[in-house]
Each structure stands twice: as C-alpha cells, then as structure tokens.
Amino acid sequence: IHFCPIPGGALITNNNIPASDTASSGFLGNLLVVPMDGSHWVGIKAIAQEMGRRGHRVTVVIPEISMRMGPGKHYDTVTYPVPYDKAHIDSIMSSLKDMMEKSSFTEKIRKGFSKMQKFTGFMHTTAESLLFNVSLISHLAQQNFDAVLTDPVAPTGSLIARKLGIPTINLLRGLPCSLDMKSAGCPSPPSYVPRFLTRYTDKMSFQERAFNTLVALLEPLLCRLLYWHFDQIAYQFLGEEVGIAEVLSESAIWLLRLDFTLEFPRPIMPNVVLVGGINCNVRHPLPEDLESWVSGEHGFVVFTLGTMLSDLPEETTSVFLEAFRQIPQKVIWRYTGQVPDSFPENVKLMNWVPQNDLLAHPGARAFITHAGSHGLFEGLCHAVPMVMMPFGGDQPDNAVRLASRGAGVVLDIYSITTESLLQGLNEVINDTRYKENMQKLSALHKDRPVDPLDLSVYWTEFVMRHKGAKHLRPAVLDLNWLQYYCLDVIAVLASVVLFFVILIVKCLKLCFWKLSRKRKQD
Amino acid sequence: IHFCPIPGGALITNNNIPASDTASSGFLGNLLVVPMDGSHWVGIKAIAQEMGRRGHRVTVVIPEISMRMGPGKHYDTVTYPVPYDKAHIDSIMSSLKDMMEKSSFTEKIRKGFSKMQKFTGFMHTTAESLLFNVSLISHLAQQNFDAVLTDPVAPTGSLIARKLGIPTINLLRGLPCSLDMKSAGCPSPPSYVPRFLTRYTDKMSFQERAFNTLVALLEPLLCRLLYWHFDQIAYQFLGEEVGIAEVLSESAIWLLRLDFTLEFPRPIMPNVVLVGGINCNVRHPLPEDLESWVSGEHGFVVFTLGTMLSDLPEETTSVFLEAFRQIPQKVIWRYTGQVPDSFPENVKLMNWVPQNDLLAHPGARAFITHAGSHGLFEGLCHAVPMVMMPFGGDQPDNAVRLASRGAGVVLDIYSITTESLLQGLNEVINDTRYKENMQKLSALHKDRPVDPLDLSVYWTEFVMRHKGAKHLRPAVLDLNWLQYYCLDVIAVLASVVLFFVILIVKCLKLCFWKLSRKRKQD
C-alpha cells in the first residue's frame, strides 16, 4: 500500500495482478469503476475482479469509510475522504430496526420520512465528496480511461464519465420512477408493464391498470423530485445545464440485474443486456462445523434479512423463535442483535452466514428472505423455495414476481405472527409444488447461452474496444415527447380531416341555400 | 434412400448421421423443419445441419420440386408432391427480367401486379399441397416432434405446429406489414421505427414521420389483405376460427436475421433473438483457376443480383459491360443469360459464383449487389464496400441502412447508365472512407458474445428442452388495442375530470345566480 500524491486521495496498488491469459481479442484496456455500497457492491466487484484477472487495468474509486467496499486481488483502489464516520453509516442502517418497533401510524410516517432523508443525504454527501475533490478528479482525468463501469443509483460515475468524455457501462437492478428504462429509450406500456412499488403483475385488472397508468403519468414528476439535488450537483460539477436524465441517456450499455424467469416480459432496447444471477456460480464448501451442524434428515432453513436488517426488536425475535421451535428443520439465522437468554436447540444464530453456500447445500429446504434481488437470485440459482418478508425498495415487487411463479409465499413482516410464519414455512417445505415450480424456474434461469458474469465482462470490453456503442443508440433519445407519440402528426392529420369536413359542410350548406333560393324564385 | 408408406410422400433417410459429441446438456430431441425456398433456405439449412450434427433427429419437409431445397448430410428429408413443375418455378423467377425491359408505366404496373399474383399463387399452392396431404400430416403427427423450426413468410410450419400442439421457432428476415413484430408483441413507434418499403432511416423529417405514421395506421388492413388467403387455409386446416396473426403470436422464439450494425435500434421483446450474419464463418478457398484469374494489383469486383435476377435485357447488359471496360479492376459476374459476342477482357461471366468465398478474398474491392439480406451480410462480414441496386422486397430498405452508415452507394437499376455506374464504382473503390466505414461496421458486426449460428441452435434446443418458452410470452398478446393503449383508462379518467369540471361550473353558476339575486333583492 502506498499513498499517491493526491491530497486527500489514497491509491492502493496491487502488485500481485497476474499477467492475463484470457483477455479477449488481445485488447487490454483501462477501466474506471465507480461502485455503490451495500449489496450493490457484490455484482460490480465481481466484474471488476474478472476484468482485472483478464489483464485490464482496473481502478475502483471508493470512499474511505464504507460498509462493504474495499480492495481486491485484481484491481487498484483509490479512496477519497468523506465527512462521516462508520458510526454514522451504522446509525442509518440500524434505523430499519426502529421501523419494526410498535408505534403509531403518524410516528411510523415520521420515522420513514426521516430515514429516507438521512439516506438520501448520505448519498449526496458521498457523491459530492468525490465529485468536488478537485485533485482526485484531475488525477482521474489524466489516466486515459477507456470507459467507466458504474451503478447509476447514485449517478456519480455517469457524471465523471461525461466530464472525462468516456463511455459508460451501467450495472443496476433498476432506478425508481423508471428512469433507467426512460434513459435507455425502452417503451414501458403501462397496460402490461407494472410500475415500481405497485406490486402488480403483468396481468392487471381495469382498476390496477388505471392506477398503473396514473403512476406512469406521474413518473416524470417523481423523477424531478428524486433527482432534484443530483441535477444541482450535475450543474455545479459539469458547468452545463444538463439533467441527470440526459446524462444517463448517453450510457453505452445497460447491464440490468434482471432475468425473465422472474421479470415479466417487457420491451427492451438493443443496448440493454440482462445479467440477473451474476454470482450464481461462485460457491465454496461449507466450513466443517457448519456442515456437520446442518446435516440431518429434515434439512435446514436459511434465514437472512439482508445487510440492512440483521437485528430485530425483542418481540419480533421471539415470534420467529417460537415458530422455529415447532418445525423439525434446523434454522441458520443471520442475526447481529442481542442474543436472547434461551432459544430452541434447532436454531443457530450467526453474525454472518455463507448464504450462497448454504443455499447451494442439498439440505436447504426453505429460504426466509427479505426478497432483495441478490438473495432472490441465489435462491433461484439453487432452487430453494422461499418465504419472503419484503420491507422496502424493490423487495415487495421482487416478492410478487417469485410468488406469481408459485415458487414462494409472501408474508407481512410488520404484522408477522408465529402462526402465519409456521403456515408459510409448512407450505413451502411440505407442499411439493413449491419445490417443483422452483426447480422448473431454476432450470430456465440457468439455461443461458452465456454466463451473466461473462456477458457483463464481454459488453464492458466491447465498449472499451469500440469507444462506446453508438450504433446501438436509439433515435428515440433525440425526440421530444410530442414527436415520440406523433402528437404533432396526429394534430396535423386531424386538422386536415377537420378542414375537409368543414369545407364539405360549407359547400353542402351553400348548395342547399342556393337550391332553396332557386325553389323560392320558382 | 427408401420410400416410406405415405402415398405421395417420400422419406430420404441418411445413414451417415454420426453419433454426436456436441449435443448440449445431453438432451437429444426430435425436430421438424418446414423451410422456405430460395435464399430463405440458406439459414434454415445451416441450423438443420448443425442440429443433426449435434445428434438431434431432424426431419425437413420440402416439396418434390424446388429451386434450392434438398437433402443434406445431417438430416432426413420428407418430400410431398406439388401440382407444378420446374419450368413453372423458372417462369416465375424469370419474370423479373421482363420487369427490367423498357415499357410504359401502366405496362410496368400490370407486369408487377401479375408477377405478384403468380408468386403468391405459387406460395399458396405449395402450402396447400403440404397441409392438405392428409396422410403426410398424420405421419408427421405420429413422430412426436419436440418443436417446429420454420420460416413464417409462408406460415405453413406454424399451422402444422398448432395442429400438432408443439412449439415453434421462427427464422426470418421480417414479414410485410410488420406482422412479425406485431405477433411478437414488440412496440414499433412510428416516430423512429421506419416502416417496410418506406426507405426511411430512424431520423425522419416531419413529412416522413407523418407518412410513416399513415403507413403504420394502414398496416393492420394490409396484413388482412396479404394474409387473407392464408387465413382461409388456416380455417380449413385447423377447423377453428383463428387467423394467421394469432397463430404466429404463439411462436416460442423469433430468430431474426437482423443485426443492429445495419438495423436501426428499436425495441424488441425477450423472445426475439437477433442472428443476422448466420453464415459469415462458412468459407472455403477459391478454385485454383478462379484464384489465379482474380489475382492482380487492382483487385476485383464481385457482381451478383441474387437468385431472382441472374439474367438481364441486352440493353442493360451492355450498359454494365461498357462501365466495366473503363475500370482497372477485374469483374466476376454471376450471369445466366445469353453471353454477348464480345465483352471486355477484365470481365468473367459465370453461371454460378462462390459469392461468399470471393468476398472473403483480400482482392475484393467492391460488391455490386441487389442488397438482398444474405449478400449484404456476406459483404458486411468481409468488409467489402457496396454498389447497391435494389429491385424489390426488403432490398431498398436494406440498401438505405447500409448507405446511411457510409459503407456503400445506392443506384436505381431501372435507370442505370454507364456514367452513374462508373461514378458509383469509383466512389466506393477509390474514396477510402467507404472502406474505412465498412471495416468499422464489420468489426462491430463480428464482435458478438455468441456466433449467430450457435445462438440459433441454442434457442432451438432451448425450446425443445423446455417444451416452449412460455415464461417469455408477453402479456401484451392477451390485450386488445383499446386496453393496450389504455384508451379505456384514459376515457374513464377523462370522464371523471369532465364530471368534476361540470360540477364546479354548475356550482359556480348557482352561487353567482344566488349572489346576483340577493344583490337585486338588496
């Protein structure tokens, strides 16, 4: 580890990057990676690692303080200082536990709003710390990067790419207000493309369709609100009047962590590549003690609620433990809270669990999950039916998608009882249809011409080789909405028709008048 | 070769099908292939061969009389009798030469109409000969096929698939009236998706957009007209009230012989797979005499106008020869007409040319072509700039696409002169920008994660393995157009708004009236 001469920026160089034996077509490039923290880091790290392993120079830019991001074997890391500490991040994350505690409705709304404010504030601060670190940005500008790989949930990487004049590859699950689809130019007809957070499927009743259409009509407004602060940052950073939507529409390739075994079929554009299940194949054997603990005729249940909810209020914890006491399966629970004085023998509480390796184990009978996209794909990959308890973000939508395929059940975590949990577990474990549906879905999911990680690396290299993917840029991005919907054409055509109708009516009137006058004269 | 016990159906079995070493995932299936004749046969034959080579049982059903279709090394062939002979096919094909002859406008229209009538009649007769061959159809029904691979330009294969209850894989360049996109559920916004035969690009002026929108509005009517006879056949064959559009919308996978290096970016659905350039890699060295003839410092020009126009009126022939006399390059011309008494030394007339192998030769300087999709992809594959002379079908659109990329010029074959031809040839041969643009385009075209033939085979096997691809079927196919465009929702929303506006106006009027009455009373 050595420090580079950037004030407030540290460069961690890896001396053990091996000479590659696998870089495609002999092209070796220079990639900048601007990732997001939390579970978002998983997929982007996998691509960064693989790109480095193939011999490309890969530089990952991360804040000094983060939840999960850090150095890796095959890439360099540049860090930048941020005006917060680890305790601040922990406090933002733990706010989810507060949400679970019993409180009045208005109190819940207040808490939810405060949580969201904290979270967006944290994202803006992190972005500003990078973008307005002048020496770091000018250092990056000198590196002659071929492309930027980024997660545009915070469009920091996209802004740097625009400033540096290099193409962008996005890796993401999706953006709120459909900004990703809009920026990629994908049509999203509200008649069968359910909107974010509606929990609808692709088959909607009239009422659902009406509500979905209303949401679609309000999306542009929602985008304005959500990206208002980033629009300001863009103006300050780029010095030009350009919004985030326009910056994102310049993206060369969109790698979406989706797969149509879960997602409802919808139109996509040629520069949108689906790479859902990017880390399906990365697996290791279980540690020996865990292996011997999980083995048993009834198998086991894996229980994790993600990075953001690994601790629960005492009351909720006992609801879960009471249910687990009544099932023959063992339960491995990722739990970082206060360990209760007594709990059933078939339950193991662990600070961290090798989730993917556990799901890959033949003994896994069910997966209790918050239905985050990573966990969902891991369960899908290993065909483990799920009991899903979404609590926010894309999770309720994810859960609806899997449940609509008959491969899991959805429970409300805010009103969970021992009975409802027991019923859910019994259903997915003992009703063989869940396992069968899951196995069919899993077989479809894994039947792909190219592994999602390889495909991601392929398109990243493609953009670097060809300096973008301009031939895939749809012309729709140059049309305004009047032109896109041909409203101007329809207006002119309607005017022409109207003109002729009026003309004919006038003529008829004139003829009639003349005729009647003539008759009178006669 | 042995005849099977079907009256009027012959089965040609291959005894030299090798045990496969390459079938994916150990699954070996049973595939029925219902191909189209002419250049359409090329791609489908390649897939049939490769499927057979991988160990699947492949049965190709073709008419006894055809232009190009026939037995192959890795598949079985079943033939059925047809009520026409080779001379009839030749007469239909040669009618194109008549179109080239000088004649009045009305005469040309008459000829064009008669040609089209002959051609569609030929297609209907061929389809009926297969579908109403009761013994053959019942023989096919007993074979337990896993899927049908077909070219739906004539929807014969799709009808058989529906009758037999098995899934369909389509391989095609496109259908008139956008029936392919409509049946696959792909949105085709007329604001940037140019319609068939308009020769527009994806960047249209207001007038072009207006005309394109009109064409789009008329497409459903055009589809009705074009498929009217096939709709009748469908009713007779299936015994149910179902149109071709509905039959096609049940297709599992659409393999489109398109590529976005040529095609303008547009929305596609998850079950649409682009496999343009399916036969790029199939090449052989030139025969020795041809190799020695083409070699020379100035290189050579390849000149073919496809299967359907290999003979020209004398007058047009001499226009071409006069131009060729004035260029230093050699010219290889696929020409089946009467050989003129004298022609320049640098011209070689051949009944058949190894087009792909010639284009792959480093000496190839230019490609004079009618811009059929196969030739276009071969030229693109080997980066040979083109002089394009489209005369019908998708050719004018293909030509516009390549010309818009600066990789070729378009000439009007009906008004060609020695001067215009010379100018076109000089441009693409001597202006290096054409070659450079073509090389860039070719590099993009060939930079694909999976070879198009492998991809076609992959998805064919996928459909056979999973008995279809139901998870990719978009919900849009179950909506009528009122629902699709949410016109019902908009009507209700508008009514609600109108109701409240009227209510408010009435209230205000009432208030105003009461107020004014009160004032009067005061």
Short mmCIF file of all heavy atoms in Angstrom, two decimals, chain A residues 75-116:
data_model
loop_
_atom_site.label_atom_id
_atom_site.label_comp_id
_atom_site.label_asym_id
_atom_site.label_seq_id
_atom_site.Cartn_x
_atom_site.Cartn_y
_atom_site.Cartn_z
N TYR A 75 -7.66 -5.58 -8.75
CA TYR A 75 -7.85 -4.18 -9.15
C TYR A 75 -7.16 -3.24 -8.16
O TYR A 75 -6.89 -3.62 -7.02
CB TYR A 75 -9.34 -3.82 -9.25
CG TYR A 75 -10.16 -4.12 -8.01
CD1 TYR A 75 -10.19 -3.21 -6.95
CD2 TYR A 75 -10.90 -5.29 -7.90
CE1 TYR A 75 -10.94 -3.47 -5.81
CE2 TYR A 75 -11.65 -5.56 -6.76
CZ TYR A 75 -11.66 -4.64 -5.71
OH TYR A 75 -12.39 -4.90 -4.59
N ASP A 76 -6.88 -2.02 -8.66
CA ASP A 76 -6.35 -0.97 -7.78
C ASP A 76 -7.52 -0.25 -7.12
O ASP A 76 -8.62 -0.20 -7.67
CB ASP A 76 -5.57 0.07 -8.60
CG ASP A 76 -4.30 -0.53 -9.19
OD1 ASP A 76 -3.85 -1.56 -8.67
OD2 ASP A 76 -3.80 0.03 -10.18
N THR A 77 -7.25 0.33 -5.94
CA THR A 77 -8.30 1.06 -5.24
C THR A 77 -7.82 2.48 -4.97
O THR A 77 -6.71 2.68 -4.48
CB THR A 77 -8.62 0.38 -3.90
OG1 THR A 77 -8.76 -1.02 -4.13
CG2 THR A 77 -9.90 0.92 -3.31
N VAL A 78 -8.64 3.46 -5.34
CA VAL A 78 -8.37 4.85 -4.97
C VAL A 78 -9.45 5.26 -3.98
O VAL A 78 -10.64 5.05 -4.25
CB VAL A 78 -8.42 5.78 -6.21
CG1 VAL A 78 -8.30 7.24 -5.78
CG2 VAL A 78 -7.32 5.42 -7.18
N THR A 79 -9.04 5.79 -2.83
CA THR A 79 -10.05 6.21 -1.85
C THR A 79 -10.09 7.72 -1.74
O THR A 79 -9.11 8.40 -2.06
CB THR A 79 -9.77 5.61 -0.46
OG1 THR A 79 -8.49 6.08 -0.03
CG2 THR A 79 -9.77 4.10 -0.50
N TYR A 80 -11.22 8.24 -1.32
CA TYR A 80 -11.36 9.69 -1.09
C TYR A 80 -12.01 9.91 0.26
O TYR A 80 -12.83 9.10 0.72
CB TYR A 80 -12.16 10.35 -2.21
CG TYR A 80 -13.53 9.75 -2.44
CD1 TYR A 80 -14.66 10.26 -1.82
CD2 TYR A 80 -13.69 8.67 -3.32
CE1 TYR A 80 -15.92 9.70 -2.05
CE2 TYR A 80 -14.93 8.10 -3.54
CZ TYR A 80 -16.05 8.63 -2.90
OH TYR A 80 -17.28 8.08 -3.11
N PRO A 81 -11.62 11.02 0.93
CA PRO A 81 -12.15 11.28 2.27
C PRO A 81 -13.63 11.67 2.24
O PRO A 81 -14.09 12.26 1.25
CB PRO A 81 -11.30 12.44 2.78
CG PRO A 81 -10.73 13.06 1.56
CD PRO A 81 -10.66 12.03 0.49
N VAL A 82 -14.36 11.30 3.26
CA VAL A 82 -15.77 11.67 3.38
C VAL A 82 -16.02 12.25 4.77
O VAL A 82 -15.34 11.88 5.73
CB VAL A 82 -16.69 10.44 3.17
CG1 VAL A 82 -16.86 10.12 1.70
CG2 VAL A 82 -16.18 9.22 3.92
N PRO A 83 -16.99 13.17 4.90
CA PRO A 83 -17.19 13.86 6.19
C PRO A 83 -18.11 13.09 7.13
O PRO A 83 -18.95 13.69 7.78
CB PRO A 83 -17.84 15.17 5.75
CG PRO A 83 -18.61 14.83 4.53
CD PRO A 83 -17.86 13.70 3.85
N TYR A 84 -18.01 11.75 7.13
CA TYR A 84 -18.78 10.98 8.11
C TYR A 84 -17.94 9.79 8.57
O TYR A 84 -16.91 9.48 7.96
CB TYR A 84 -20.12 10.51 7.53
CG TYR A 84 -20.04 9.83 6.17
CD1 TYR A 84 -19.57 8.52 6.03
CD2 TYR A 84 -20.45 10.50 5.02
CE1 TYR A 84 -19.50 7.91 4.80
CE2 TYR A 84 -20.38 9.90 3.77
CZ TYR A 84 -19.91 8.60 3.67
OH TYR A 84 -19.83 8.00 2.45
N ASP A 85 -18.38 9.17 9.65
CA ASP A 85 -17.63 8.01 10.14
C ASP A 85 -18.47 6.74 10.10
O ASP A 85 -19.64 6.78 9.70
CB ASP A 85 -17.09 8.27 11.56
CG ASP A 85 -18.21 8.65 12.51
OD1 ASP A 85 -19.39 8.51 12.11
OD2 ASP A 85 -17.92 9.10 13.63
N LYS A 86 -17.89 5.63 10.47
CA LYS A 86 -18.56 4.33 10.40
C LYS A 86 -19.83 4.32 11.26
O LYS A 86 -20.86 3.74 10.86
CB LYS A 86 -17.59 3.23 10.86
CG LYS A 86 -18.04 1.81 10.59
CD LYS A 86 -17.88 1.44 9.13
CE LYS A 86 -18.13 -0.04 8.84
NZ LYS A 86 -19.40 -0.57 9.32
N ALA A 87 -19.75 5.02 12.41
CA ALA A 87 -20.90 5.05 13.32
C ALA A 87 -22.11 5.67 12.62
O ALA A 87 -23.25 5.24 12.82
CB ALA A 87 -20.54 5.83 14.57
N HIS A 88 -21.86 6.70 11.77
CA HIS A 88 -22.95 7.35 11.05
C HIS A 88 -23.63 6.37 10.09
O HIS A 88 -24.87 6.29 10.04
CB HIS A 88 -22.41 8.56 10.28
CG HIS A 88 -23.46 9.28 9.50
ND1 HIS A 88 -24.46 10.00 10.10
CD2 HIS A 88 -23.68 9.37 8.16
CE1 HIS A 88 -25.25 10.52 9.17
NE2 HIS A 88 -24.80 10.15 7.98
N ILE A 89 -22.82 5.60 9.35
CA ILE A 89 -23.38 4.60 8.44
C ILE A 89 -24.20 3.59 9.23
O ILE A 89 -25.33 3.26 8.87
CB ILE A 89 -22.26 3.88 7.65
CG1 ILE A 89 -21.45 4.87 6.82
CG2 ILE A 89 -22.86 2.80 6.75
CD1 ILE A 89 -20.39 4.24 5.95
N ASP A 90 -23.63 3.12 10.36
CA ASP A 90 -24.33 2.14 11.18
C ASP A 90 -25.67 2.69 11.66
O ASP A 90 -26.67 1.97 11.68
CB ASP A 90 -23.47 1.73 12.39
CG ASP A 90 -22.25 0.90 11.95
OD1 ASP A 90 -22.27 0.41 10.81
OD2 ASP A 90 -21.31 0.78 12.75
N SER A 91 -25.69 3.97 12.00
CA SER A 91 -26.93 4.55 12.52
C SER A 91 -27.99 4.61 11.42
O SER A 91 -29.18 4.39 11.66
CB SER A 91 -26.67 5.94 13.11
OG SER A 91 -26.74 6.92 12.11
N ILE A 92 -27.55 4.89 10.18
CA ILE A 92 -28.50 4.90 9.06
C ILE A 92 -29.07 3.50 8.84
O ILE A 92 -30.27 3.30 8.67
CB ILE A 92 -27.83 5.42 7.77
CG1 ILE A 92 -27.53 6.92 7.91
CG2 ILE A 92 -28.73 5.17 6.56
CD1 ILE A 92 -26.72 7.48 6.78
N MET A 93 -28.19 2.52 8.91
CA MET A 93 -28.61 1.15 8.66
C MET A 93 -29.54 0.64 9.77
O MET A 93 -30.51 -0.05 9.52
CB MET A 93 -27.39 0.22 8.56
CG MET A 93 -26.55 0.49 7.34
SD MET A 93 -27.52 0.36 5.82
CE MET A 93 -27.04 1.84 4.95
N SER A 94 -29.21 1.01 11.01
CA SER A 94 -29.99 0.48 12.14
C SER A 94 -31.36 1.13 12.22
O SER A 94 -32.24 0.64 12.92
CB SER A 94 -29.23 0.67 13.45
OG SER A 94 -29.20 2.04 13.77
N SER A 95 -31.57 2.22 11.48
CA SER A 95 -32.87 2.88 11.54
C SER A 95 -33.99 1.95 11.09
O SER A 95 -35.15 2.15 11.40
CB SER A 95 -32.86 4.16 10.70
OG SER A 95 -32.64 3.86 9.35
N LEU A 96 -33.63 0.90 10.34
CA LEU A 96 -34.64 -0.05 9.88
C LEU A 96 -35.23 -0.82 11.06
O LEU A 96 -36.41 -1.15 11.06
CB LEU A 96 -34.02 -1.03 8.89
CG LEU A 96 -34.27 -0.70 7.43
CD1 LEU A 96 -33.47 -1.62 6.56
CD2 LEU A 96 -35.75 -0.81 7.09
N LYS A 97 -34.38 -1.11 12.06
CA LYS A 97 -34.88 -1.82 13.24
C LYS A 97 -35.94 -0.97 13.96
O LYS A 97 -36.97 -1.47 14.38
CB LYS A 97 -33.72 -2.14 14.19
CG LYS A 97 -34.12 -3.02 15.34
CD LYS A 97 -33.02 -3.15 16.37
CE LYS A 97 -33.54 -3.77 17.66
NZ LYS A 97 -32.53 -3.75 18.72
N ASP A 98 -35.67 0.35 14.04
CA ASP A 98 -36.64 1.27 14.67
C ASP A 98 -38.00 1.15 13.98
O ASP A 98 -39.04 1.18 14.63
CB ASP A 98 -36.17 2.73 14.54
CG ASP A 98 -34.82 2.94 15.19
OD1 ASP A 98 -34.40 2.05 15.96
OD2 ASP A 98 -34.20 3.97 14.91
N MET A 99 -37.96 1.05 12.65
CA MET A 99 -39.20 0.97 11.89
C MET A 99 -40.04 -0.23 12.31
O MET A 99 -41.26 -0.23 12.19
CB MET A 99 -38.91 0.86 10.39
CG MET A 99 -38.24 2.06 9.77
SD MET A 99 -39.39 3.42 9.56
CE MET A 99 -40.50 2.74 8.35
N MET A 100 -39.36 -1.29 12.77
CA MET A 100 -40.07 -2.51 13.14
C MET A 100 -40.77 -2.38 14.49
O MET A 100 -41.70 -3.11 14.78
CB MET A 100 -39.07 -3.68 13.23
CG MET A 100 -38.33 -4.01 11.97
SD MET A 100 -39.41 -4.82 10.81
CE MET A 100 -39.97 -6.20 11.79
N GLU A 101 -40.27 -1.48 15.35
CA GLU A 101 -40.84 -1.35 16.69
C GLU A 101 -42.29 -0.85 16.59
O GLU A 101 -42.63 -0.08 15.69
CB GLU A 101 -40.01 -0.34 17.51
CG GLU A 101 -38.53 -0.57 17.38
CD GLU A 101 -37.84 -0.84 18.70
OE1 GLU A 101 -38.29 -0.30 19.71
OE2 GLU A 101 -36.84 -1.60 18.70
N LYS A 102 -43.09 -1.27 17.55
CA LYS A 102 -44.50 -0.85 17.58
C LYS A 102 -44.60 0.65 17.80
O LYS A 102 -43.96 1.20 18.70
CB LYS A 102 -45.24 -1.59 18.72
CG LYS A 102 -45.52 -3.04 18.41
CD LYS A 102 -47.03 -3.34 18.51
CE LYS A 102 -47.43 -4.55 17.71
NZ LYS A 102 -47.20 -5.81 18.43
N SER A 103 -45.36 1.34 16.98
CA SER A 103 -45.56 2.78 17.17
C SER A 103 -46.80 3.20 16.39
O SER A 103 -47.30 2.44 15.56
CB SER A 103 -44.34 3.57 16.72
OG SER A 103 -43.97 3.21 15.41
N SER A 104 -47.26 4.43 16.63
CA SER A 104 -48.47 4.90 15.97
C SER A 104 -48.20 5.12 14.48
O SER A 104 -47.05 5.19 14.05
CB SER A 104 -48.92 6.22 16.61
OG SER A 104 -47.97 7.21 16.28
N PHE A 105 -49.27 5.28 13.73
CA PHE A 105 -49.14 5.45 12.28
C PHE A 105 -48.35 6.72 11.94
O PHE A 105 -47.42 6.69 11.14
CB PHE A 105 -50.54 5.48 11.65
CG PHE A 105 -50.50 5.61 10.16
CD1 PHE A 105 -50.11 4.54 9.36
CD2 PHE A 105 -50.84 6.81 9.54
CE1 PHE A 105 -50.07 4.66 7.99
CE2 PHE A 105 -50.80 6.93 8.17
CZ PHE A 105 -50.43 5.86 7.39
N THR A 106 -48.74 7.85 12.60
CA THR A 106 -48.04 9.12 12.30
C THR A 106 -46.57 9.02 12.68
O THR A 106 -45.70 9.52 11.98
CB THR A 106 -48.68 10.30 13.07
OG1 THR A 106 -48.80 9.92 14.45
CG2 THR A 106 -50.05 10.64 12.50
N GLU A 107 -46.30 8.31 13.77
CA GLU A 107 -44.92 8.12 14.22
C GLU A 107 -44.14 7.33 13.15
O GLU A 107 -42.99 7.64 12.83
CB GLU A 107 -44.92 7.37 15.56
CG GLU A 107 -43.56 7.13 16.18
CD GLU A 107 -42.88 8.43 16.63
OE1 GLU A 107 -43.51 9.51 16.51
OE2 GLU A 107 -41.74 8.35 17.06
N LYS A 108 -44.80 6.30 12.58
CA LYS A 108 -44.16 5.48 11.55
C LYS A 108 -43.84 6.32 10.32
O LYS A 108 -42.77 6.23 9.73
CB LYS A 108 -45.10 4.32 11.16
CG LYS A 108 -45.03 3.18 12.14
CD LYS A 108 -45.24 1.84 11.49
CE LYS A 108 -44.80 0.76 12.48
NZ LYS A 108 -45.27 -0.56 12.17
N ILE A 109 -44.82 7.16 9.92
CA ILE A 109 -44.61 8.03 8.76
C ILE A 109 -43.41 8.95 9.02
O ILE A 109 -42.53 9.12 8.17
CB ILE A 109 -45.89 8.89 8.49
CG1 ILE A 109 -47.06 8.00 8.06
CG2 ILE A 109 -45.61 10.00 7.46
CD1 ILE A 109 -47.02 7.53 6.63
N ARG A 110 -43.38 9.54 10.23
CA ARG A 110 -42.30 10.45 10.58
C ARG A 110 -40.95 9.74 10.51
O ARG A 110 -40.00 10.23 9.93
CB ARG A 110 -42.55 11.00 11.99
CG ARG A 110 -41.76 12.27 12.33
CD ARG A 110 -41.77 12.55 13.83
NE ARG A 110 -41.24 11.44 14.62
CZ ARG A 110 -39.93 11.13 14.72
NH1 ARG A 110 -39.04 11.84 14.09
NH2 ARG A 110 -39.56 10.09 15.46
N LYS A 111 -40.94 8.52 11.09
CA LYS A 111 -39.70 7.74 11.09
C LYS A 111 -39.26 7.41 9.67
O LYS A 111 -38.09 7.52 9.32
CB LYS A 111 -39.91 6.43 11.86
CG LYS A 111 -39.71 6.54 13.36
CD LYS A 111 -39.82 5.14 13.95
CE LYS A 111 -39.80 5.15 15.47
NZ LYS A 111 -40.10 3.80 16.00
N GLY A 112 -40.24 6.99 8.85
CA GLY A 112 -39.93 6.62 7.47
C GLY A 112 -39.36 7.79 6.70
O GLY A 112 -38.36 7.66 5.99
N PHE A 113 -39.97 8.97 6.89
CA PHE A 113 -39.52 10.15 6.18
C PHE A 113 -38.11 10.54 6.63
O PHE A 113 -37.24 10.84 5.80
CB PHE A 113 -40.50 11.30 6.44
CG PHE A 113 -40.29 12.47 5.53
CD1 PHE A 113 -40.67 12.40 4.19
CD2 PHE A 113 -39.69 13.63 6.00
CE1 PHE A 113 -40.45 13.48 3.36
CE2 PHE A 113 -39.46 14.70 5.17
CZ PHE A 113 -39.85 14.64 3.84
N SER A 114 -37.91 10.47 7.95
CA SER A 114 -36.59 10.84 8.49
C SER A 114 -35.53 9.87 7.99
O SER A 114 -34.41 10.26 7.66
CB SER A 114 -36.68 10.88 10.02
OG SER A 114 -35.59 10.21 10.60
N LYS A 115 -35.89 8.57 7.91
CA LYS A 115 -34.97 7.55 7.43
C LYS A 115 -34.56 7.84 5.98
O LYS A 115 -33.39 7.80 5.60
CB LYS A 115 -35.64 6.18 7.53
CG LYS A 115 -34.79 5.01 7.07
CD LYS A 115 -35.63 3.76 6.94
CE LYS A 115 -35.35 3.06 5.63
NZ LYS A 115 -36.44 2.26 5.11
N MET A 116 -35.58 8.19 5.17
CA MET A 116 -35.31 8.45 3.76
C MET A 116 -34.43 9.68 3.59
O MET A 116 -33.50 9.71 2.80
CB MET A 116 -36.63 8.64 3.02
CG MET A 116 -36.52 8.28 1.55
SD MET A 116 -38.13 8.47 0.75
CE MET A 116 -37.65 9.57 -0.58
#
